[in-house]
Amino acid sequence: MSDMDNKKHSDACSCGHDHDHDHGKCSCGHDHDHDHGKCSCGHDHDHMDGTCICGHNHKAEGGVGHDRAMGKIFFVLFGGILTLNSFILDWTMPDLEFASELSALLGAFILALPIIITAVKDLINGKVYMNELVALAILAALASADFQTAGIIAFFLLVTIIIETRTASGAQRSIEELIKLTPNTARLLTDGKESEVQATTLKVGDRIRVRPGENFPVDARIIAGESTVNQASITGESIPVEKSIGSDVFAGTQNLTGLVDLEVTKVGEDTTLGKVKDMILQAESSRTPVVRIIDRYAGYYTPTVLMLAWITWWFTEDMNSVIAFLVIACPCAVVLATPTAVVAAVAAAARLGIFIKNVSHLELAGKITSFVFDKTGTLTDGLLSVVKLEPAEGITPAELLKTAGAVERYSNHPTAVAIQKLAAEAGLELDEAAEFSETHGRGVSASVNGEKVLVGRANWMAEQQIPVADADTASADGMSVVYVARAGKVLGWIGFKDKIRKEAPEMLSELRRQGVRFCAMVTGDRQSVAEAVAKQLAIDEFKSECLPDGKVQFVENVKRNSRVAVVGDGVNDAPALAAGDLGIAMGAIGSDIAINSASIALMTNDLRRIALLVFLSRKSQMIINQNLLFGMLFVFGGMILSMVGVMTPIWAAVLHAGSTLIIVFNSARLVRTGEELTLEESAAAAPQENNN
């Protein structure tokens, strides 16, 4: 065997396909659970043709699953017409008995063919699944020469399979809708001239132009022009956002009003929309514990049903009872109970800008009893502004601000942004800084004109052997304070204030109404600031002057007595987000760290989405329980009725299809969850649009 052959063999999965190990995916397009040989869709794959054991093709690429579903619809329509025709001939022309029987036979054969083919494939591959129950029921009816009954059974069961196919491909359809948001072409700017190119050929650094009414093909930064952008496809918010030079825009969002030139910052799967697409696929292909239990015992179910069918025949010697038993025993309603609800819940969440990595996280959200919030950027806007300059004796306010600004110009911390903004408004010309260093959550240092300058919190200054007198409590009340020191001497302090988000009180009130017992806040800010915010929001407990490891420790303490969700901006709070039972990243749009560090990413900063997430989780669990209860009552109740001879094969087929439809429509109620919030946002956006 050659080296190439050896490599190929080593990269091949037991399913017979080569794996792209960078993404953990098989060439069939799904992640594999190698312990059970199952695809992430929850079914075994027949890898010879990419077909799932349920008879469906789940390939995410190329739309093959959709084509197969359309093929089944053809069988349903054509076979159904022939079966119906046999009944019409019986009623209107009873003398044409042969024509009626022939029409019924052809109809039954056409309808049964795809079901029987799938069952035979399963047997060839050494698998016994629920398809065999259906196939046996149809073959038994055909063997009894009851072609009309066989046709009706096959018709309703094929309709059920089509419903299941459309439900199972929910992730693919969601992704197809996302892909439609990004245009295929883009206007590339080269030496000021436009040329139309394929969007897939764009590279980071390219310059493009987008006209009003068009969607952005990639993530980019505006370098010329200004516009209003509809970001609802990413954030779930219907209110458009104003964008100007320096603003970031995201693939799939819509340019509403202005002509803009942009510099490409991200392309392909690296774009925010690409990450959202991956999260939707990951969530909808993941399985809840209930589905994993069903999968685990599916192999025992079919043999048990066949044994009970034989017992039914032994005691009743009635083939119609056996056929009805086999039809009613196919537990499609139970199998669909959870996936349909999950697809609907994930779709509703995505519409609201709530992106869930795994459906187990959605289930967990409804069990959370404690929340720990970061302050800056989460409960507050995170847009600090300088409200006080307190220079030391002999230092002017301008000198204090200029010295701090020279160092903070290289930091992206909210305090640094506020200092830079005020320095720019004051028209100060900042000196160049060298040897810049930032200690996360504490302060920054750099060399300015040959002297070491430090800007940071009081405790950090003390660690640097620079004694500071604490800011006057009365004047600093409700302010965040940083100190400025040069050459080991304190030049003064700067006070900042942040505004509490207007949705915060409503969100906390709604969480408590839903049964959340404990709401806490952790922040790196000083005691007086944290106390003021906690008092205003009626927070149960808070911890101030808290470094990242202190936040983690606080979360761990809360976890001892309850399930805890941590809410933060995903950038500064990644360790705490990972420490909680559930991590929720706020305002994750465009943030790689936020999407990667949290269990759930909110693409907007609207805090009301958090309470809505808890409500959606509990509602989806209620729907799943309803579906499972109804499905089990239908299956086991129908089996008992069939065994005592009450259930006929035709009624079994009708009830089988009817139960599946009830499950699907019951789950569909989740799709409209949170609709009142989007309607409210649309109503709020309307006056703004009229003013513009």
Side-chain angles (χ1 to χ4, degrees):
M1 185 180 291
S2 66
D3 292 339
M4 185 63 71
D5 290 334
N6 279 323
K7 184 181 185 301
K8 183 176 181 180
H9 178 74
S10 64
D11 285 341
C13 171
S14 57
C15 65
H17 282 111
D18 292 327
H19 281 259
D20 173 2
H21 290 288
D22 290 335
H23 300 89
K25 292 188 182 297
C26 172
S27 57
C28 66
H30 285 105
D31 294 318
H32 280 258
D33 173 358
H34 293 287
D35 293 333
H36 301 90
K38 292 188 182 297
C39 169
S40 57
C41 65
H43 295 117
D44 291 319
H45 275 258
D46 171 5
H47 292 284
M48 296 303 293
D49 61 0
T51 306
C52 174
I53 193 167
C54 61
H56 312 132
N57 190 301
H58 291 282
K59 287 186 180 179
E61 303 293 338
V64 181
H66 175 72
D67 295 341
R68 192 170 291 258
M70 293 303 295
K72 285 188 174 69
I73 291 174
F74 170 77
F75 278 95
V76 167
L77 293 176
F78 190 36
I81 290 171
L82 289 172
T83 303
L84 179 62
N85 181 60
S86 72
F87 281 99
I88 294 174
L89 290 175
D90 280 346
W91 297 332
T92 60
M93 302 177 184
D95 294 336
L96 299 178
E97 184 178 348
F98 176 76
S100 174
E101 288 291 320
L102 180 62
S103 181
L105 174 61
L106 291 174
F109 178 77
I110 291 171
L111 289 165
L113 188 61
I115 298 173
I116 293 173
I117 288 174
T118 302
V120 170
K121 283 183 177 180
D122 292 346
L123 293 174
I124 291 174
N125 289 310
K127 300 164 186 169
V128 178
Y129 203 62
M130 299 167 191
N131 299 304
E132 285 65 52
L133 300 178
V134 180
L136 282 173
I138 294 171
L139 289 174
L142 290 173
S144 303
D146 191 352
F147 304 130
Q148 289 180 336
T149 298
I152 292 173
I153 293 172
F155 175 82
F156 282 107
L157 294 180
L158 205 55
V159 167
T160 303
I161 290 174
I162 291 172
I163 294 171
E164 186 180 352
T165 303
R166 299 301 297 166
T167 303
S169 60
Q172 180 180 341
R173 294 199 306 277
S174 299
I175 291 170
E176 287 172 353
E177 291 300 317
L178 284 175
I179 291 173
K180 291 177 184 176
L181 296 175
T182 54
N184 294 323
T185 60
R187 294 185 177 87
L188 180 66
L189 293 177
T190 307
D191 298 328
K193 296 182 179 179
E194 289 185 25
S195 60
E196 192 169 282
V197 299
Q198 290 294 313
T200 54
T201 64
L202 293 175
K203 302 184 296 294
V204 174
D206 283 348
R207 298 195 170 191
I208 60 174
R209 176 168 292 166
V210 176
R211 298 175 181 177
E214 296 178 342
N215 283 14
F216 295 101
V218 291
D219 285 12
R221 182 169 292 113
I222 296 177
I223 56 175
E226 57 184 29
S227 183
T228 304
V229 176
N230 180 2
Q231 299 185 150
S233 59
I234 300 294
T235 66
E237 291 179 304
S238 55
I239 301 176
V241 179
E242 299 296 328
K243 300 282 186 177
S244 57
I245 294 175
S247 299
D248 291 322
V249 297
F250 308 99
T253 58
Q254 186 180 24
N255 181 28
L256 296 178
T257 58
L259 178 72
V260 289
D261 293 346
L262 311 107
E263 181 178 334
V264 176
T265 55
K266 294 179 182 177
V267 296
E269 296 301 314
D270 292 331
T271 63
T272 302
L273 187 67
K275 291 183 176 65
V276 166
K277 182 190 76 172
D278 290 340
M279 291 176 73
I280 290 176
L281 180 60
Q282 185 177 354
E284 293 194 340
S285 63
S286 58
R287 293 175 291 162
T288 62
V290 172
V291 173
R292 288 195 291 270
I293 291 171
I294 291 174
D295 288 338
R296 184 182 304 168
Y297 293 105
Y300 302 101
Y301 182 79
T302 300
T304 303
V305 168
L306 292 176
M307 180 184 69
L308 292 174
W310 181 82
I311 293 173
T312 302
W313 168 252
W314 177 265
F315 283 102
T316 65
E317 295 186 0
D318 181 5
M319 183 54 69
N320 282 335
S321 295
V322 175
I323 293 171
F325 182 87
L326 292 172
V327 171
I328 210 79
C330 189
C332 289
V334 177
V335 172
L336 287 175
T338 299
T340 52
V342 166
V343 169
V346 170
R351 176 173 52 81
L352 293 164
I354 304 170
F355 293 102
I356 303 161
K357 291 184 179 180
N358 191 296
V359 291
S360 63
H361 298 149
L362 174 64
E363 184 178 353
L364 179 60
K367 300 176 182 178
I368 295 297
T369 56
S370 299
F371 273 84
V372 176
F373 296 91
D374 174 51
K375 181 183 76 70
T376 306
T378 302
L379 292 176
T380 64
D381 285 329
L383 301 176
L384 295 175
S385 56
V386 176
V387 294
K388 189 174 183 64
L389 293 170
E390 189 70 27
E393 186 177 349
I395 304 296
T396 64
E399 184 181 359
L400 175 66
L401 179 61
K402 184 177 179 180
T403 304
V407 180
E408 294 281 25
R409 68 193 300 182
Y410 298 109
S411 173
N412 289 321
H413 192 275
T415 58
V417 173
I419 290 173
Q420 294 170 56
K421 181 180 178 182
L422 182 61
E425 290 173 353
L428 297 178
E429 186 174 341
L430 302 178
D431 296 324
E432 288 296 325
E435 301 175 12
F436 174 82
S437 175
E438 182 167 2
T439 304
H440 179 65
R442 300 192 177 204
V444 295
S445 65
S447 176
V448 180
N449 297 326
E451 295 181 309
K452 187 175 183 179
V453 176
L454 293 87
V455 182
R457 303 191 183 280
N459 53 3
W460 185 65
M461 288 289 183
E463 291 177 7
Q464 307 302 314
Q465 307 302 316
I466 300 176
V468 296
D470 197 13
D472 182 73
T473 303
S475 62
D477 186 36
M479 288 189 293
S480 301
V481 174
V482 297
Y483 292 86
V484 183
R486 182 176 61 198
K489 180 182 178 182
V490 175
L491 302 184
W493 57 266
I494 302 174
F496 306 83
K497 271 196 174 181
D498 194 4
K499 187 172 68 174
I500 293 175
R501 293 190 187 278
K502 61 181 180 180
E503 306 93 358
E506 180 184 345
M507 178 269 298
L508 290 169
S509 175
E510 181 62 22
L511 285 178
R512 289 191 170 94
R513 192 185 69 81
Q514 293 182 20
V516 174
R517 300 192 301 268
F518 180 79
C519 292
M521 180 185 74
V522 290
T523 177
D525 248 330
R526 54 191 286 123
Q527 173 80 12
S528 59
V529 178
E531 188 174 0
V533 173
K535 184 177 180 180
Q536 188 171 345
L537 293 176
I539 294 291
D540 297 314
E541 186 178 340
F542 70 91
K543 186 174 182 181
S544 60
E545 300 182 33
C546 195
L547 298 176
D549 55 347
K551 293 181 180 181
V552 171
Q553 185 178 356
F554 184 88
V555 172
E556 293 289 351
N557 290 336
V558 177
K559 280 178 68 176
R560 293 175 184 174
N561 302 313
S562 61
R563 285 192 176 96
V564 59
V566 180
V567 186
D569 61 16
V571 178
N572 299 321
D573 306 303
L577 287 170
D581 293 302
L582 189 70
I584 303 174
M586 291 287 298
I589 180 169
S591 171
D592 296 342
I593 297 176
I595 291 176
N596 292 332
S597 62
S599 311
I600 295 173
L602 306 186
M603 309 309 280
T604 170
N605 282 319
D606 188 344
L607 288 166
R608 291 175 296 178
R609 258 67 174 181
I610 297 174
L612 196 57
L613 169 65
V614 175
F615 174 76
L616 178 63
S617 171
R618 294 179 179 176
K619 186 176 180 181
S620 63
Q621 193 57 50
M622 180 188 71
I623 294 290
I624 288 172
N625 292 337
Q626 290 174 354
N627 288 350
L628 287 171
L629 178 61
F630 176 80
M632 289 178 181
L633 285 174
F634 165 79
V635 172
F636 296 118
M639 290 167 68
I640 293 171
L641 293 176
S642 299
M643 293 177 75
V644 298
V646 175
M647 184 75 69
T648 65
I650 291 177
W651 272 110
V654 172
L655 291 176
H656 184 279
S659 67
T660 302
L661 285 173
I662 291 172
I663 294 294
V664 170
F665 288 132
N666 190 43
S667 297
R669 294 192 294 137
L670 287 167
V671 173
R672 299 186 65 178
T673 303
E675 192 175 57
E676 67 283 354
L677 186 60
T678 54
L679 289 174
E680 179 186 329
E681 290 173 349
S682 298
Q688 295 183 17
E689 293 176 359
N690 293 334
N691 292 335
N692 292 335

